[in-house]
Amino acid sequence: RRRRRRRKRLGISQAGRLALPSAARAPALQASVKEGGTMVHIGDLPEDILLDLLSLVPGRDLVLNCRLVCSQWRELVDAAALWKRKSQREGYLPPGQDRSVPDWRTFYFLCIMKRNLIKNPFAEAEWKHWTLDSNGGDKWTIENLPGAHGKEFPHPHIRKYFVTSYGLCMKHQLINLKDEGYWDELMDQTKPDIVVKDWYAARYDCGCQYRLDVKLLSVDHIVLAEFSPPAVVIEQWSDAEWHEISHTFHNYPSGVRYIYFRHGGKDTQFWAGWYGVRVTNSSITIGPEVAS
């Protein structure tokens, strides 16, 4: 709707021509107006207006279609100015100075692609997308927040969590980056930040242990980078608050094709039932930080 209003305000017809109310209104375009005519081809627009119009076109169409129209459009689509304007129009702004963005087109596409690559992160689909590696004690189960002797999660839309037992319980997901739209050249040359986050909590009345293991893997599943912090032990009679753990992979080796995410734990008092660590809202995102 915004695009139609803008076209109407600029006087652009469905055929891609600009309707000029009078030659005096746009002297720079007078040479393009035929004698007795009132139309001018869109290609004769001032470059700044053309950039503004192209910034309304979806990024994929700009690269696959608009870039092929003519040499002028190819130069505009390849120029940083268009992608900077498009990023600003859609609210993707770097937190620091503009000069911190080396490639505005890559910046824009990473922003629109950015999403949580962990599927079913807070148990709404039960065990779908998860592989259970260890299922000790009374096995993994799913409970509703806040749970017995627990606390509400900081984000109210999250209503469930996974919970472990008295034997070690671990589960994982393996993310294929190419399947998620991240092509090899992007990962090898741009090396966008990979941000991993997870949330864990204990019951008030029982101690527990939490574990996390994240690996960046090659096409042959060779470990190229890893985040495996020491196990976190929460003592009995804790505050039962939810804790976030986070890690960012920067400037990792070339060749990353998979991300392996594994977490879990157990209780520390060997009680039958589900008294171990609780986990939910896991996430892996790829791309630049943007200003809120």
Side-chain angles (χ1 to χ4, degrees):
R1 190 181 305 122
R2 185 175 63 183
R3 190 180 304 170
R4 288 198 299 270
R5 289 200 301 267
R6 189 173 185 85
R7 290 173 67 94
K8 183 177 180 181
R9 186 167 69 251
L10 292 172
I12 297 177
S13 69
Q14 294 297 322
R17 293 185 174 273
L18 182 70
L20 293 176
S22 69
R25 290 284 299 273
L29 299 176
Q30 288 180 19
S32 300
V33 179
K34 294 181 179 180
E35 184 178 354
T38 59
M39 305 291 289
V40 65
H41 193 272
I42 192 171
D44 296 322
L45 286 169
E47 184 174 293
D48 190 62
I49 293 179
L50 188 54
L51 274 175
D52 214 29
L53 292 174
L54 289 174
S55 71
L56 297 170
V57 178
R60 183 178 177 85
D61 291 334
L62 284 172
V63 174
L64 297 181
N65 299 316
C66 296
R67 193 176 181 276
L68 305 179
V69 170
C70 62
S71 59
Q72 181 195 19
W73 283 34
R74 182 175 67 249
E75 291 174 1
L76 289 175
V77 171
D78 289 345
L82 172 62
W83 298 99
K84 180 178 179 179
R85 187 170 305 192
K86 190 166 180 60
S87 296
Q88 292 171 337
R89 180 185 296 279
E90 298 182 25
Y92 302 129
L93 303 174
Q97 299 292 327
D98 284 353
R99 60 177 176 270
S100 66
V101 180
D103 184 336
W104 277 98
R105 179 161 64 176
T106 300
F107 174 85
Y108 173 80
F109 278 109
L110 283 171
C111 286
I112 64 172
M113 291 167 61
K114 193 172 183 180
R115 64 199 185 280
N116 188 2
L117 301 180
I118 293 287
K119 297 176 175 60
N120 186 28
F122 35 87
E124 291 297 330
E126 297 187 344
W127 301 104
K128 188 176 181 180
H129 302 296
W130 290 101
T131 299
L132 304 185
D133 303 315
S134 304
N135 215 2
D138 286 322
K139 303 181 179 181
W140 282 96
T141 195
I142 295 170
E143 295 179 346
N144 293 319
L145 280 155
H149 298 282
K151 295 286 184 67
E152 289 287 358
F153 196 76
H155 309 310
H157 68 281
I158 296 174
R159 301 308 310 156
K160 295 183 178 182
Y161 57 83
F162 304 97
V163 59
T164 62
S165 188
Y166 61 87
L168 183 63
C169 296
M170 300 292 293
K171 60 185 177 71
H172 83 267
Q173 287 191 27
L174 182 65
I175 298 166
N176 184 323
L177 294 176
K178 188 170 290 187
D179 288 349
E180 299 295 337
Y182 296 91
W183 59 98
D184 296 351
E185 183 182 10
L186 175 71
M187 300 305 300
D188 293 347
Q189 296 184 10
T190 304
K191 298 183 180 180
D193 285 353
I194 300 174
V195 181
V196 179
K197 296 182 180 181
D198 200 20
W199 290 78
Y200 64 92
R203 290 171 56 116
Y204 166 73
D205 58 347
C206 186
C208 67
Q209 181 187 98
Y210 165 78
R211 299 184 185 184
L212 175 65
D213 184 24
V214 185
K215 296 182 173 73
L216 307 186
L217 306 177
S218 71
V219 67
D220 299 319
H221 290 205
I222 297 171
V223 178
L224 301 177
E226 183 174 7
F227 175 62
S228 297
V232 177
V233 176
I234 303 176
E235 301 295 338
Q236 188 181 24
W237 315 121
S238 71
D239 57 13
E241 294 287 350
W242 285 92
H243 303 275
E244 183 185 39
I245 186 170
S246 176
H247 177 75
T248 301
F249 289 96
H250 299 285
N251 196 30
Y252 39 83
S254 299
V256 174
R257 300 294 179 263
Y258 298 92
I259 303 175
Y260 176 83
F261 177 96
R262 184 172 184 253
H263 68 173
K266 62 179 182 177
D267 81 43
T268 56
Q269 290 164 260
F270 213 70
W271 289 355
W274 298 277
Y275 291 82
V277 71
R278 301 164 172 183
V279 292
T280 195
N281 199 35
S282 311
S283 69
I284 294 177
T285 57
I286 298 178
E289 181 184 359
V290 294
S292 58

